[in-house]
Amino acid sequence: MTPPQRLPASLTPLDAALAALFDGLEPVAPTKLPLLGALGSIAAAMPPLKPHPPHDVAAADGWALRANDLVGASSYSPLPLSTSPVWVEAGDPMPEACDCVLDSDSVDQSGPIIQILAEAIPGQGVRRAGGDIAGGTAVVEAGRRILPRDLLIARAAAMQTLDVRRPRVRIVNIPAAGEAVTALLVAESARKAGADVTCIDATARDAGSIVKTFDADGCDLLLAIGGSGVGRTDATVTALAQRGEVIAHGIALQPGRTTAVGRIDRIPVIALQGAPDQAFAAWWTLALPVLDRLSGRRPRKSLELPLARKIASGVGIAEIVLLQRKQGAWVTLAVGDLSLDAIARAEA
């Protein structure tokens, strides 16, 4: 009978575990993706854009004219024109020397002479060169997540691809009773964070079966879900030791205490527990920061608000606190012991 695993007498501080994972870790190389494929990815550095539109265009249908020629025109004092103006439609280039567009109601064509019934100001009914996209700007700043509105700019600039950093994440699910809800949660969270995710199930919970799935080729981060505890069938850490290096097993984190971190060659490996709350804690504190480093993502935004009540925490343990915003303050939903309901309702 295989003896149960034991955690070390002292747990590795969360900051130390994260620093070990960050050691030598650099953002992945940029890759070009079609616009729809780039949606949700983290932008890499992009070339500056040319002004759009490249020249003045009509912003509305109407007559193209020169504003200075229309001074004093009104319905009471129509201004006759010696030559017929040019009709333009929205998006058409503005004729030379014309700087405004009047709608059809402001031009009288009923008689033999065309008459102007209203004044205009320079730029009226016109979209200036660079009015939509200023020259020298980028579709999206490097390190920011690409949103649908960024694709609008890219399409207006006639771009077909975007440069992004998309880390490749391999998720190994260690089978247990019931559905693989935790692996699905982590996979969906990784995709939302901009990763290219591949999922695989180990055929069994023994170290030999798990080792076969620990293939670091073709991935930038390997996440194992389940089997990192101290039970008799928890063999993920043993498999990691056989395949690579165990940096720490047992993190000063609640929940998530039996999380393990290591490497296979230069690829960081994080073994998350199978319980959703345990994996949720390790995901936010270890896996997501590593993924952000690999994608070159800018620091995430934070929101500082007063706490509705004081939070007490154990010395030497990083405890996960779930919060919900109410009336300008953070209300505590759970501390250390996280229910699924609290995870679903938490805003921070």
Side-chain angles (χ1 to χ4, degrees):
M1 180 180 294
T2 303
Q5 298 182 51
R6 294 184 179 179
L7 286 174
S10 61
L11 299 174
T12 301
L14 176 61
D15 290 346
L18 194 56
L21 288 168
F22 279 172
D23 184 29
L25 199 65
E26 298 291 339
V28 300
T31 184
K32 292 185 181 294
L33 289 180
L35 299 189
L36 278 180
L39 184 64
S41 297
I42 305 303
M46 298 186 188
L49 297 173
K50 295 180 180 180
H52 182 80
H55 42 67
D56 292 355
V57 299
D61 302 341
W63 298 100
L65 296 156
R66 186 169 177 264
N68 283 348
D69 296 338
L70 311 181
V71 176
S74 70
S75 58
Y76 299 102
S77 179
L79 176 69
L81 294 180
S82 57
T83 59
S84 178
V86 176
W87 176 264
V88 293
E89 299 193 358
D92 287 346
M94 289 295 292
E96 188 176 356
C98 294
D99 61 3
C100 65
V101 176
L102 285 183
D103 60 39
S104 58
D105 293 339
S106 299
V107 178
D108 181 9
Q109 297 179 280
S110 60
I113 298 176
I114 296 177
Q115 300 184 93
I116 305 301
L117 309 179
E119 293 183 310
I121 60 174
Q124 179 176 319
V126 175
R127 180 158 289 141
R128 297 295 193 185
D132 277 332
I133 303 174
T137 59
V139 171
V140 55
E141 294 176 333
R144 193 164 69 76
R145 189 165 176 257
I146 295 173
L147 303 175
R149 61 175 178 260
D150 300 318
L151 300 188
L152 171 67
I153 299 295
R155 292 189 179 102
M159 299 179 70
Q160 302 297 319
T161 62
L162 290 176
D163 291 333
V164 304
R165 298 185 194 274
R166 174 167 280 187
R168 300 161 300 174
V169 177
R170 180 179 178 89
I171 295 178
V172 176
N173 181 52
I174 313 303
E179 274 192 81
V181 294
T182 303
L184 293 173
L185 168 67
V186 173
E188 289 156 0
S189 299
R191 289 190 182 99
K192 184 180 178 182
D196 180 9
V197 178
T198 301
C199 298
I200 187 172
D201 288 340
T203 56
R205 292 181 65 88
D206 62 278
S209 299
I210 298 170
V211 163
K212 294 177 182 178
T213 65
F214 278 6
D215 184 2
D217 291 339
C219 77
D220 304 298
L221 172 63
L222 194 151
L223 302 177
I225 312 297
S228 68
V230 293
R232 295 180 182 278
T233 61
D234 290 324
T236 299
V237 178
T238 301
L240 176 56
Q242 293 176 10
R243 186 67 175 81
E245 173 193 7
V246 177
I247 296 173
H249 179 210
I251 311 297
L253 177 67
Q254 180 59 32
R257 189 170 299 200
T258 62
T259 300
V261 299
R263 288 183 185 275
I264 299 176
D265 298 325
R266 298 300 299 168
I267 303 302
V269 179
I270 305 174
L272 293 76
Q273 292 159 264
D277 60 327
Q278 310 285 327
F280 179 84
W283 163 259
W284 276 102
T285 55
L286 292 167
L288 187 58
V290 168
L291 188 55
D292 285 352
R293 175 68 65 91
L294 289 169
S295 63
R297 181 171 183 148
R298 294 181 175 224
R300 293 173 180 266
K301 292 182 180 179
S302 60
L303 177 60
E304 186 172 328
L305 294 173
L307 288 168
R309 65 178 179 83
K310 183 178 179 180
I311 298 175
S313 181
V315 176
I317 298 289
E319 289 187 277
I320 300 298
V321 178
L322 299 183
L323 304 170
Q324 190 174 54
R325 187 178 179 181
K326 288 186 179 180
Q327 299 178 343
W330 288 124
V331 174
T332 304
L333 294 177
V335 180
D337 183 14
L338 314 180
S339 68
L340 296 184
D341 179 65
I343 291 174
R345 291 191 295 124
E347 297 177 73

